[in-house]
Amino acid sequence: MTTTTVPRTQDLSEGALGMALLDVECRDLSTARRHLTQATVRGVSTGSNASLFHGAPALEFVLARAHGASDDVRAAVDRVVDARLAAAHRRHAAGALPHLAEWDLIRGMTGLAALLLSRRPIATRLPDVLACLVALAHPARGEGRILPGWWSPVGPDGKEMTGGHGNNGMAHGIAGPLAVLSLALRAGVSVPGQEEAVGTFATWLDRHGTHYWSTEAHLDADQPPEAEPARQSWCYGQPGIARAQQLAALALGDPARRQAAEDTVEAILTDPLRLARITDSTLCHGWAGLLTLTRAVAADSTAPARFTPIVQDVYRRLAADWEHLPKPGFMEGRAGAQLALNATDTTGWTRVLLLT
């Protein structure tokens, strides 16, 4: 039996859309058009899998970097947003806990909020999406107990998990809503309860942010257990969470939180044992993501020079290894690594990572 694998052309992480981001940033518009044609040759998804990293929203994000998103593309994205909002409202009315795909950055409403926030003028649907993210800060009932409103009934792999879990990372966890709600506040966009939600998420991460995710046992403990040594990255781990915390501090005017976030980034990226756990050059979980993140942290720091040696070290590590990446794409491939190496963000491509 022969099976055919359909290319993930609409996938911002691995497909042609992600490679077009590099083309646009480098002003190579002819190659960008070729990649965009490849991405849309089978149409563009507006179904339940459409998100910032797939389908129409991903297409709008890339086209908007070149100021080329049409009214038709934006209208298609608005239909996606409306469908996702309706589904979230139904879930909430039923009293069920949310799945990560409802609200996270990669698949859910955090990513859609980041896209709508990047529109000019800012999209009229953005407040409705922000309100859904704010609602995650309200406690929920599940498994016969009170749980955080973002608690997922399944594990991070989407499979059954006794007691569920609370995801903490930037890509799939509550650091994502924290970052986008903070970025919206800094842009002057707010809904009722937004500052309180930022405080709730930030305080949770103060307690639980050393873990990739929290379990039911963590909720019952006087203090969460010490985290096992793990790879520190943009997608999971303390660097991504620290950038979200820095953004929260800037939004709320909290200099102590800002200092703590910056200290965390410096401590992790100068620790040889932690650096030894980073084994590739990708944006998602490698040197490219850490380099881009550190530059963003430094740009918002009152003492940016403290990060200069870190940026130089991470740049050197990335430059020595990125060409060995087997994939060509954005999040786990050479296109994303090249974007980090180029050290430019004239198109605002780093918004897709919630770094700016």
Side-chain angles (χ1 to χ4, degrees):
M1 178 179 177
T2 301
T3 59
T4 301
T5 301
V6 178
R8 297 174 62 182
T9 54
Q10 294 180 46
D11 186 292
L12 191 63
S13 296
E14 296 185 16
L17 276 181
M19 288 183 278
L21 270 183
L22 173 63
D23 304 330
V24 174
E25 182 68 25
C26 295
R27 295 190 177 91
D28 183 357
L29 297 185
S30 62
T31 305
R33 282 190 287 270
R34 177 169 59 80
H35 279 135
L36 288 167
T37 299
Q38 180 184 350
T40 57
V41 68
R42 291 182 174 85
V44 180
S45 173
T46 57
S48 60
N49 66 343
S51 67
L52 178 59
F53 280 78
H54 185 80
L59 177 62
E60 179 186 335
F61 185 84
V62 175
L63 290 174
R65 300 316 98 205
H67 308 289
S70 68
D71 289 343
D72 287 345
V73 171
R74 285 191 291 268
V77 171
D78 289 344
R79 293 193 295 273
V80 170
V81 172
D82 289 343
R84 299 297 287 271
L85 287 169
H89 292 151
R90 289 193 298 270
R91 188 272 307 164
H92 187 267
L97 292 170
H99 284 246
L100 301 183
E102 176 186 306
W103 57 263
D104 74 8
L105 170 63
I106 302 298
R107 299 165 296 175
M109 281 192 287
T110 295
L112 294 176
L115 173 60
L116 297 180
L117 184 61
S118 74
R119 281 188 186 175
R120 294 295 179 268
I122 290 172
T124 57
R125 285 169 172 78
L126 178 60
D128 293 332
V129 178
L130 295 178
C132 274
L133 297 175
V134 166
L136 297 174
H138 302 156
R141 179 168 290 278
E143 305 288 336
R145 64 183 300 170
I146 299 299
L147 295 166
W150 63 90
W151 201 262
S152 174
V154 298
D157 59 359
K159 297 179 180 178
E160 191 69 28
M161 180 178 183
T162 302
H165 85 294
N167 204 289
N168 297 324
M170 184 71 97
H172 296 294
I174 202 60
L178 175 61
V180 80
L181 291 174
S182 300
L183 287 165
L185 285 172
R186 295 185 74 192
V189 183
S190 65
V191 298
Q194 188 166 332
E195 289 190 13
E196 292 81 0
V198 167
T200 295
F201 300 152
T203 300
W204 169 271
L205 290 170
D206 288 340
R207 179 178 171 85
H208 296 275
T210 58
H211 292 267
Y212 279 9
W213 53 79
S214 303
T215 66
E216 194 174 41
H218 293 183
L219 299 180
D220 294 330
D222 291 335
Q223 288 291 330
E226 185 175 346
E228 295 291 330
R231 179 183 60 201
Q232 299 297 314
S233 62
W234 166 82
C235 61
Y236 272 112
Q238 291 177 273
I241 290 171
R243 175 55 175 167
Q245 290 276 34
Q246 186 194 35
L247 290 170
L250 292 166
L252 299 179
D254 185 342
R257 182 175 300 282
R258 180 179 182 176
Q259 185 69 46
E262 294 173 16
D263 290 348
T264 295
V265 172
E266 182 179 30
I268 288 171
L269 296 184
T270 56
D271 181 345
L273 293 178
R274 288 171 172 173
L275 292 175
R277 292 184 175 276
I278 302 162
T279 58
D280 69 45
S281 294
T282 65
L283 275 177
C284 187
H285 42 254
W287 298 118
L290 291 171
L291 178 58
T292 308
L293 181 152
T294 305
R295 287 184 178 130
V297 170
D300 281 328
S301 174
T302 56
R306 70 191 290 203
F307 297 101
T308 300
I310 297 172
V311 168
Q312 292 172 340
D313 178 54
V314 177
Y315 180 94
R316 176 183 57 79
R317 294 171 187 268
L318 174 60
D321 187 62
W322 75 274
E323 290 180 303
H324 299 140
L325 289 171
K327 296 180 180 180
F330 176 63
M331 288 297 285
E332 296 187 351
R334 297 184 297 277
Q338 285 179 269
L339 279 164
L341 279 172
N342 290 349
T344 63
D345 189 21
T346 57
T347 63
W349 70 268
T350 58
R351 295 174 189 173
V352 80
L353 304 176
L354 290 182
L355 295 176
T356 58

